[in-house]
Amino acid sequence: MLNSCRGCHTQLGSIKKDTGVNFAVFAPNATQVYLCLFDASGHSQIAMIDMFLHEGGTWSVLVEPLKEGALYGYRVEGDYDPQSGRLFNINKLLMDPYGKDFFGEFTWSERHFCHMPVGTISKLDNAIDMPKSKVTGLAKYTEKRPNHPWSKTVIYECHVKGATYKHPDVNPEFRGKFLGLADPAFISHIKKLGITTLELLPVHAFVSEQFLTTKGLRNYWGYNTLNFFTPHKPYLVDNDVSEFQRMMATLHEVGIEVILDVVFNHTAEAGIDGPTLSLKGLNNSGYYRHLPEEPSVYINDTGCGNTLNIDDPKTLQLVLDSLRHWVEVMGVDGFRFDLATILARTSYGFNAHHAFINAILQDPVLNKAKLIAEPWDIGPGGYQLGAFLSPWREWNDKYRDTVRRFWRQDEGVLPELAKRVHGSNDIFEHNQRGPLNSINFITSHDGYTLADWVSYENKHNLANGEVNRDGHGENYSFNCGKEGFSTDIDIVNLRLKMQKNALVTLLLSKGVPMIAAGTEFSHSQGGNNNAYCQDNRTNWLAWKPSQQDHPLSYFIQELLTLRKTFSVFQHGFYVHSDDSRFSVCWLDENGQLMSESDWHSEGRKWLLYSIQDRQLEQALLIIFNAHDVSLEATLPCAPFSEHWQFALSSCDCAKYDSADPICTISAQSSWVFTSLKEGNIHG
């Protein structure tokens, strides 16, 4: 026999108490909210309990006796009037927005739609096709965190499933799961590379869009959130959400951080013609942005049907509560915010001092987390690279495009290339930020892989079912002489060398480097530059013994060891001419300072520069030659040793006689030299 009373409304969600469970949900315009309890199978509704309204629009009820593991959902009575933005429908079972776990799978059916057709309320009950929220009580995460400073952070962006699903040395039970990332075989690999931080594609519970499932495809990337608090259930081995905490504890123990790619810009409920699953049925007009003059029309700054309304205090609270849960309870170290511009947009446009930004800055939990913005969306004024404030970091797509264009042999790129490898001061210094605010990358999950960047000039996205219309049209790519796969040894070698050139540029630039998973063994997606719906070998990393010994893996190790040695890459400020410790010199092929005309010579497709730390008496000389002919370069005098010492090159046949100041820099190659006073190594 269940008993119920008013309960407490101050903490949303389901909270286990000594004698029962307290439930609280926000639905300010509802006339009645019901808590619906289900049997252990999730199929039969066994109770429908009236909840109590509190001031401000929160409803609560305390149910006794009730235990952890109980399954539930909400039904809401109220006006059904799409024209005013109200979509209350008691026939729709709603997931708890604050649910920390759920039971069962989501199944697409016409029962999820509140209106059939729009304007006509649907009488179909969707409970049979809905997961049921589940009462759970996870303890706070207490393990020690690595807390790597940004100056020593190296990011490896990967997908939970794709990273280990085909790894032969990972425990078969754990492959493609959270625990697969904590398997010794995977940990050994990323540690050997020199990675400090995993950035995981979305792990909030998500579903595939109906237009994909009807084509036999899935949303693989995960940018279609169902719930902001629950880990994606297919990534669990035993359907136990605490497995995420186990993964975090193991990774932290070996010094690996985890950043989550989070999607707070939209949800899986889409627009007016989308399903009613949670927020839409509780407070549609508050949780989502609508045209002020037409509340039935969703603002679609995301391209996914709806846009979360962070201006609303309860929506802002939902986002902040989710973030704190993932830090305090699940143990994560930071977040990369998908389409972050949306989170700081008001009806008047982007605002770097938006309530969301300010709330995080003053939050004693979140202001210690790593924060990365994807600083663009498709809405008005959507491109905001450089506009976020400290301590935010930002994905720097200008870095990506400039490096790609230089190695593609585009003309007139040198001035911008110099800015990008030096940390993009033109983008970040205006608001008192430094080079470590730039997340430098050349490839990510979105777009070509590094191998495909040098293998395809045109996108090959037919498998996505959109007649090759989707994906970026301009990728600044080249195919080295043949489109796609090739067995021509000259093409194969050139492609490998060009990938090395990109890695030298990336890992020896000022800023925080990010490598996309699979880069280290030339993973290819067959030219698909929008593989978001390919849950198959297109995306799964193909682990083979030969690939784990791939030359790019060793090359990345060398570069990251070199990066760690030189202090300039950990220096958090830009180097200018009046700097008493550091200096940067841009040189011509004669070892002299570049002239103004050198910078703007369209035929010049090479860049030479030295960077020095006078205090530690260490220097690097870096030479990029993107031209298809070799360059005779006169090296300047080595500042802290008798001669420059050859460190590495993208060219396997690189040779250098330290006694000869002239070095032949082969075509389409990069070279690195060092000058160190003996023993002066920065750790």
Side-chain angles (χ1 to χ4, degrees), residues 211 265-266 299-307 339 342 377-379:
F211 77 87
N265 52 76
H266 76 282
I299 291 174
N300 188 16
D301 290 340
T302 65
C304 299
N306 65 47
T307 303
L339 304 184
I342 283 174
D377 63 45
I378 63 172

Side-chain angles (χ1 to χ4, degrees), residues 186-315:
F186 183 73
I187 289 176
S188 174
H189 174 73
I190 58 175
K191 290 286 288 183
K192 186 178 179 182
L193 284 178
I195 302 300
T196 69
T197 306
L198 296 181
E199 183 176 308
L200 304 183
L201 267 68
V203 303
H204 290 170
F206 63 87
V207 297
S208 295
E209 296 88 336
Q210 193 173 30
F211 77 87
L212 287 177
T213 61
T214 57
K215 293 187 289 188
L217 298 171
R218 297 179 184 175
N219 187 319
Y220 174 77
W221 285 351
Y223 294 90
N224 198 42
T225 306
L226 179 66
N227 177 272
F228 293 126
F229 291 83
T230 307
H232 190 52
K233 304 307 278 292
Y235 297 161
L236 301 171
V237 177
D238 293 319
N239 204 34
D240 182 353
V241 294
S242 69
E243 291 175 21
F244 188 94
Q245 294 175 315
R246 287 171 55 194
M247 174 196 73
M248 292 301 311
T250 302
L251 291 172
H252 281 168
E253 187 178 5
V254 296
I256 299 295
E257 296 176 314
V258 173
I259 291 172
L260 300 186
D261 193 336
V262 289
V263 187
F264 291 114
N265 52 76
H266 76 282
T267 74
E269 292 188 299
I272 193 67
D273 55 348
T276 298
L277 308 175
S278 182
L279 304 180
K280 190 182 285 186
L282 292 166
N283 187 28
N284 177 58
S285 59
Y287 281 123
Y288 297 112
R289 292 189 182 276
H290 305 261
L291 291 180
E293 65 278 11
E294 293 184 74
S296 65
V297 179
Y298 289 75
I299 291 174
N300 188 16
D301 290 340
T302 65
C304 299
N306 65 47
T307 303
L308 217 60
N309 180 20
I310 310 296
D311 279 346
D312 184 89
K314 282 295 182 181
T315 310

